[in-house]
Amino acid sequence: MASLSNMRALRLNTARGPLLAAAKPTSTRYLPAAVQLAQNTQSLRHSSTEAASSSKTASSPWKPARRPGFWNSLKIFKDHKAAMGTVAPPLRPSAQAGKALQLDSLNPNVVAAQYAVRGELAVKAESYRQLLLEKSPNLPFNQIISANIGNPQQLGQKPITFFRQVLSILEYPDILETEYASKIYPSDVIERARRLLKEIGSVGAYSHSQGVLGIRKSIAAFIKARDGYPVDPDNLFLTVGASAGVANLLMTLCSSPTSGILIPVPQYPLYTATLALMNASPVPYYLNEASQWSTDLDHIRDEIKLARDSGIDVKCIVIINPGNPTGSSLQVEDIRAIINLSRDEGLVVIADEVYQTNVFAPNKFVSFKQVLAELMDKNPGEGYEHVALASLHSTSKGMVGECGHRGGYFELTNFSAEVHAQIYKLASISLCPPVIGQALVDLMVSPPRPGEPSYEQYETEYNTIFETLKSRALALYDAFQKMEGVSCQEPQGSMYLFPTITLPPKAVAAAEKEGRKADEWYCLRLLDATGVCVVPGSGFGQKQGEYHFRTTFLAGGSDWIDRIVKFHNDLIQEHK
């Protein structure tokens, strides 16, 4: 992932020449020249276009007029066949040479996209994992700790029993017709499974593109209980994890390379990667590390003005709360200020709230939906009814931790019927999200209630996972306090810490000699020495001259933490 300066440049990193010229930005801060990757991508695109154009001119006698529309295109194709007889049209030069799948023939937006969480470090960690499975000698560690990604069950978190019991019946409903069902499952498990089977039918069949209506009603009831305001199930979309929801929303919003989306820095690289695929412009805004990674409204306003003065159409602000990678938690007054900013600036709000159950006391999660609904309720006619909000949640995080089942949803608030229809159309192209993942969302938002047979076990499992995560977060935080040149904000929630590392000049010089960013070099050395895989801060964005890394606190035990401490202290001594 590009550094922050590169992220700024990536705002127009794939803008085509005519569009770029038309925008006539007054500042170079949004131009692609600062990013070598973007330069290469643009160069590849232009050379590909020129090659295709010269090939058509030189090799083909047929030069059709530009006619819009499918049927006109079909007529052009038939005219072409008639003109050419049975001779096939000439292949592109690269295809003639057997090179149709060269890098310069691919979608340049795919080439430009980066996703640090599963980048070089993750690939190298997997290669080490294979060597350990093959009992390869000479590695200084005997285990890979994948602290680079929030994947709870990979690191030993147990699934919630009630959830898996219900899912097992949905996968094999015939067991309900046997004598074993009542012997294996508590009565509330059987009751829930029967209800879901009635609403779903078979989990092997497509559902409604927005998701099963009965499950959307369960989500609506959950949100009403959480926020105190009613929800229309028709405004809910079940998704393939929250990531697919993000892609749907950004694809709908981004209409050109100058479409700007405000992204927090540091940010989860899903957003910049998705915007690169959309050929749109991320507009980064810094979070304030000194005050628990809080938002700075004056700074955000400055970024909006600078972007708009540079020809960027800033449409939307993304908020990740609780934070990823920072682990921070916004206060109500911060949320209210962001909503007011969005009303004043005409911005859509995307609230990524997938870590909402991972909040440590004294902090308390409050949803954007609740605050917006309160403002609308108490201030009628003051414009809050025009603030469009999309709120996302997922089964992958928190105490559920079911990443592999890919369950999630988003809710639309204050979206017009016309826009809603376009979002639905985009969802319908993918037919539907996995139905078993939808069922898991139902279980997440409607767990066993007091007095039901599974309630006590569910509460015990849920609370044990929560307290375990909290204690691991504090243990890792305490370890960082013992490391020279490392500072870290006290954990507030989520499942990550994002410490600052101050490296000696000799270490920075060693990284530069290898052609790497200093934090990337540090994380690679950490992996090679300890088997612990983390993500460099440059993958999330950071201020120039600062270095961070993101680590989860999901792994159990203290050995891996001790390895990090020893590695760091040894590296600092080596490069003093």
Side-chain angles (χ1 to χ4, degrees):
M1 177 55 56
S3 66
L4 179 65
S5 61
N6 290 349
M7 287 170 64
R8 294 183 186 281
L10 278 167
R11 293 168 177 177
L12 285 180
N13 69 343
T14 53
R16 289 166 175 78
L19 285 170
L20 199 58
K24 294 183 180 177
T26 58
S27 165
T28 59
R29 67 194 272 124
Y30 298 97
L31 296 180
V35 185
Q36 188 63 42
L37 174 63
Q39 289 177 326
N40 293 343
T41 302
Q42 198 158 338
S43 173
L44 289 173
R45 181 189 295 107
H46 290 312
S47 63
S48 270
T49 305
E50 289 165 9
S53 176
S54 63
S55 169
K56 186 179 291 183
T57 302
S59 305
S60 174
W62 176 65
K63 296 175 67 176
R66 294 182 180 273
R67 302 187 182 99
F70 171 78
W71 294 109
N72 283 336
S73 298
L74 184 60
K75 182 178 185 302
I76 290 169
F77 175 72
K78 289 179 177 178
D79 290 346
H80 175 52
K81 281 188 70 177
M84 297 297 291
T86 57
V87 179
L91 297 175
R92 295 189 306 108
S94 61
Q96 288 177 327
K99 298 178 179 178
L101 286 179
Q102 296 300 303
L103 194 63
D104 65 352
S105 70
L106 302 181
N107 182 336
N109 300 328
V110 173
V111 177
Q114 299 180 56
Y115 187 66
V117 173
R118 294 210 174 191
E120 179 186 2
L121 276 146
V123 172
K124 192 172 188 180
E126 285 305 310
S127 68
Y128 279 143
R129 197 188 307 276
Q130 289 305 311
L131 288 173
L132 289 171
L133 289 173
E134 295 164 8
K135 304 191 183 301
S136 178
N138 303 323
L139 289 177
F141 47 82
N142 58 15
Q143 182 186 19
I144 295 295
I145 300 293
S146 296
N148 61 307
I149 190 166
N151 194 9
Q153 293 187 21
Q154 182 190 48
L155 292 169
Q157 181 171 310
K158 298 295 185 184
I160 299 290
T161 301
F162 177 81
F163 295 174
R164 288 296 185 90
Q165 287 177 325
V166 175
L167 295 184
S168 69
I169 296 176
L170 299 184
E171 292 283 12
Y172 182 56
D174 285 355
I175 197 170
L176 292 174
E177 309 308 318
T178 72
E179 61 183 291
Y180 301 107
S182 60
K183 296 178 180 178
I184 297 172
Y185 300 111
S187 59
D188 56 343
V189 169
I190 294 174
E191 181 182 343
R192 177 65 63 88
R194 288 191 185 279
R195 193 260 287 174
L196 285 170
L197 286 168
K198 182 178 179 180
E199 292 169 348
I200 293 169
S202 170
V203 294
Y206 292 135
S207 75
H208 188 284
S209 293
Q210 278 184 243
V212 175
L213 178 58
I215 295 174
R216 284 186 278 136
K217 288 180 177 179
S218 292
I219 300 169
F222 160 76
I223 296 172
K224 181 180 179 182
R226 184 193 67 190
D227 298 340
Y229 291 90
V231 175
D232 182 350
D234 193 46
N235 290 330
L236 294 165
F237 286 73
L238 284 139
T239 56
V240 188
S243 300
V246 169
N248 182 313
L249 293 164
L250 292 180
M251 185 176 291
T252 303
L253 286 169
C254 296
S255 56
S256 77
T258 57
S259 295
I261 308 294
L262 283 155
I263 304 293
V265 177
Q267 57 97 30
Y268 179 43
L270 165 70
Y271 289 93
T272 44
T274 304
L275 290 174
L277 294 174
M278 307 299 176
N279 195 18
S281 300
V283 181
Y285 65 92
Y286 287 107
L287 300 177
N288 188 343
E289 183 172 5
S291 61
Q292 294 283 353
W293 298 107
S294 62
T295 51
D296 181 337
L297 269 293
D298 290 336
H299 165 64
I300 296 174
R301 289 186 192 277
D302 289 343
E303 289 298 318
I304 293 171
K305 184 178 187 306
L306 284 167
R308 287 175 173 165
D309 288 348
S310 300
I312 304 298
D313 178 17
V314 182
K315 293 184 169 185
C316 171
I317 183 168
V318 171
I319 305 291
I320 307 174
N321 180 48
N324 177 9
T326 64
S328 60
S329 185
L330 290 179
Q331 303 301 310
V332 173
E333 54 269 25
D334 298 320
I335 297 172
R336 190 178 296 117
I338 292 164
I339 291 173
N340 285 329
L341 169 77
S342 302
R343 178 194 60 176
D344 297 343
E345 298 290 344
L347 301 176
V348 176
V349 180
I350 294 179
D352 183 336
E353 298 174 334
V354 301
Y355 298 98
Q356 61 186 258
T357 58
N358 285 76
V359 178
F360 304 146
N363 298 292
K364 182 177 181 293
F365 172 76
V366 178
S367 74
F368 268 76
K369 170 63 182 299
Q370 179 181 335
V371 177
L372 176 57
E374 288 173 352
L375 288 169
M376 291 167 60
D377 188 36
K378 296 176 181 177
N379 304 278
E382 293 191 16
Y384 292 110
E385 68 276 10
H386 300 305
V387 177
L389 167 68
S391 308
L392 298 116
H393 195 12
S394 168
T395 62
S396 297
K397 311 303 177 184
M399 276 47 73
V400 182
E402 293 276 9
C403 301
H405 275 115
R406 311 306 297 133
Y409 71 85
F410 63 82
E411 180 192 6
L412 301 179
T413 303
N414 295 335
F415 278 67
S416 69
E418 293 81 7
V419 175
H420 186 290
Q422 298 306 309
I423 293 171
Y424 172 76
K425 177 176 67 179
L426 194 54
S428 68
I429 292 171
S430 299
L431 298 177
C432 73
V435 177
I436 202 73
Q438 295 184 47
L440 188 58
V441 172
D442 185 279
L443 298 170
M444 175 182 73
V445 301
S446 181
R449 294 184 292 272
E452 295 180 342
S454 298
Y455 176 74
E456 287 189 11
Q457 182 179 12
Y458 168 80
E459 280 289 291
T460 299
E461 291 175 345
Y462 188 96
N463 292 333
T464 298
I465 293 170
F466 180 85
E467 292 300 329
T468 299
L469 290 175
K470 184 177 180 180
S471 66
R472 289 174 181 174
L474 293 173
L476 190 57
Y477 171 75
D478 290 342
F480 288 150
Q481 307 312 301
K482 303 171 187 174
M483 293 164 61
E484 182 179 349
V486 174
S487 62
C488 185
Q489 296 295 325
E490 188 171 353
Q492 296 183 39
S494 186
M495 52 180 60
Y496 312 102
L497 293 181
F498 196 65
T500 299
I501 48 175
T502 302
L503 297 173
K506 282 178 64 178
V508 176
E512 291 174 349
K513 187 176 179 181
E514 294 183 18
R516 294 188 179 278
K517 301 178 182 72
D519 54 355
E520 176 187 304
W521 173 84
Y522 176 96
C523 293
L524 281 165
R525 292 274 303 258
L526 173 66
L527 174 62
D528 292 339
T530 67
V532 178
C533 183
V534 297
V535 188
S538 52
F540 301 92
Q542 56 195 350
K543 292 181 180 178
Q544 188 69 30
E546 290 186 353
Y547 307 111
H548 300 78
F549 66 84
R550 188 193 78 168
T551 175
T552 71
F553 43 78
L554 296 170
S558 60
D559 174 67
W560 69 283
I561 298 175
D562 295 339
R563 280 186 266 163
I564 293 175
V565 174
K566 182 179 186 307
F567 159 81
H568 177 85
N569 292 336
D570 289 348
L571 182 139
I572 295 298
Q573 292 302 315
E574 178 186 348
H575 292 88
K576 271 189 173 179

